[in-house]
Amino acid sequence: MAKNKSQSKPGFIKKLISFFSKGQNNKELDPSKRKKEPKSFAMEWATASENWKKKLPTKQISSGVVIETKKFRLTKTNEKLFRIEGEDFAIILVTDNHLYKNKDGKWAGVLFVDEGLLNQNLNKEIRNLDDFLDLQAIPRSDLFLETDSPKEDWRIVLGWERFWQEQLLLQISPNSMALVMLAIGEECKEFFIKVATERQKRLVRDELFYLNLGNQNDTNPHSKTKNLYGFGNAIKEFGNKINLIRERREKEIEHGA
């Protein structure tokens, strides 16, 4: 009897180990328990685009009522120009510099300028919009996102040589590049896909992935990242880098001439 009892122990132990192993395997197979990992660039882009539409309603219409509740109404006049109204207030909101073509074909919009610099330049010749922007030292790259915009919008990079396009992508952070693509749209994304290296594409894909997770500190290992609501700073960074590379390119062309 003792012999039979001792022989039964290994069988019992095997069953016990098998039981816990199955439980562990089931846990590992449970999708909710798995650590989330980035999918393809196209899939992360599609998800991020949908999140962009849901979380940023002001970017989904060119003009009109953005949201209206019993307490307030937010109306969009033009890009970066809004009006918010409530029971005891009516306020014009300007989110940043922006210019656009009006019905008469003239440039209109809002610009933040230094009042001292404005007075300093009043006696100088101002023949057109470009002259005024130059005198006020206002960067153009983040002003215009329309196809009929002045020559100095972000699309100037499309006419650059491949080398300078690559230099631009090297200058801007993957996090900002992801946000810039979402803010500007498909045209900017196609530019990035065409010029970026495989490594840069993976880095930006990862940033889209983190944005889709919510970009919380516990999901994104980078320390200076911006979430979807930080797209304005990303566009400014993009504009500054465009100006930087543009100046380098012009100097190179000048010396090479």
Side-chain angles (χ1 to χ4, degrees):
M1 292 294 292
K3 185 177 181 181
N4 291 337
K5 187 175 181 180
S6 63
Q7 287 178 342
S8 66
K9 281 185 178 180
F12 173 75
I13 292 173
K14 286 182 180 179
K15 289 181 180 179
L16 192 63
I17 293 173
S18 176
F19 172 78
F20 283 109
S21 296
K22 287 180 180 178
Q24 183 65 28
N25 290 336
N26 289 335
K27 187 176 180 180
E28 290 175 356
L29 292 173
D30 185 356
S32 64
K33 302 296 183 181
R34 292 178 183 172
K35 181 180 178 181
K36 292 184 178 180
E37 295 183 354
K39 299 176 183 177
S40 68
F41 186 99
M43 294 180 71
E44 295 297 346
W45 168 260
T47 302
S49 297
E50 286 302 312
N51 288 336
W52 174 267
K53 293 176 183 177
K54 292 177 183 177
K55 295 183 178 182
L56 294 156
T58 61
K59 304 298 292 182
Q60 308 315 313
I61 61 172
S62 56
S63 63
V65 176
V66 177
I67 184 173
E68 185 169 7
T69 70
K70 294 180 179 179
K71 299 295 183 180
F72 77 94
R73 177 174 63 186
L74 178 65
T75 305
K76 184 174 183 177
T77 304
N78 281 298
E79 190 70 20
K80 302 180 183 178
L81 183 62
F82 301 84
R83 180 182 178 87
I84 187 167
E85 301 170 273
E87 187 174 336
D88 61 347
F89 64 92
I91 303 171
I92 299 297
L93 306 176
V94 181
T95 59
D96 206 344
N97 293 332
H98 182 68
L99 299 179
Y100 62 94
K101 280 280 185 71
N102 63 19
K103 294 179 180 179
D104 298 326
K106 293 184 178 181
W107 288 103
V110 290
L111 295 174
F112 291 98
V113 300
D114 181 274
E115 192 169 354
L117 192 59
L118 177 64
N119 281 277
Q120 180 181 338
N121 292 321
L122 289 179
N123 294 325
K124 296 182 180 179
E125 184 178 11
I126 302 177
R127 298 163 299 178
N128 51 41
L129 174 62
D130 284 329
D131 285 347
F132 179 73
L133 294 176
D134 287 337
L135 290 172
Q136 293 299 131
I138 298 174
R140 298 166 174 79
S141 301
D142 60 339
L143 288 178
F144 316 103
L145 297 177
E146 301 173 3
T147 54
D148 59 348
S149 59
K151 59 183 179 181
E152 296 290 348
D153 77 344
W154 81 270
R155 290 180 180 84
I156 62 171
V157 306
L158 301 180
W160 288 354
E161 297 80 7
R162 176 76 178 222
F163 171 79
W164 296 110
Q165 293 175 338
E166 292 172 349
Q167 291 301 303
L168 173 63
L169 295 189
L170 287 172
Q171 289 289 328
I172 190 166
S173 69
N175 174 247
S176 290
M177 192 69 239
L179 289 168
V180 166
M181 290 192 303
L182 288 169
I184 297 178
E186 285 289 332
E187 188 175 9
C188 187
K189 186 201 78 170
E190 292 303 320
F191 162 74
F192 174 78
I193 292 295
K194 180 181 178 182
V195 178
T197 64
E198 290 304 316
R199 180 176 182 275
Q200 287 171 328
K201 291 175 186 176
R202 286 195 300 271
L203 290 173
V204 172
R205 177 208 62 183
D206 290 349
E207 290 299 332
L208 291 170
F209 167 72
Y210 291 124
L211 288 171
N212 291 334
L213 288 182
N215 203 18
Q216 301 297 322
N217 291 334
D218 58 345
T219 59
N220 195 329
H222 304 290
S223 59
K224 295 183 179 180
T225 53
K226 297 173 281 291
N227 60 25
L228 284 175
Y229 302 114
F231 69 90
N233 288 331
I235 290 178
K236 286 182 180 178
E237 180 185 340
F238 189 52
N240 290 335
K241 298 304 182 184
I242 288 176
N243 288 333
L244 174 67
I245 300 302
R246 177 177 58 82
E247 290 173 3
R248 290 180 181 177
R249 178 176 176 270
E250 289 175 353
K251 287 180 180 178
E252 188 76 17
I253 292 174
E254 183 180 345
H255 290 309

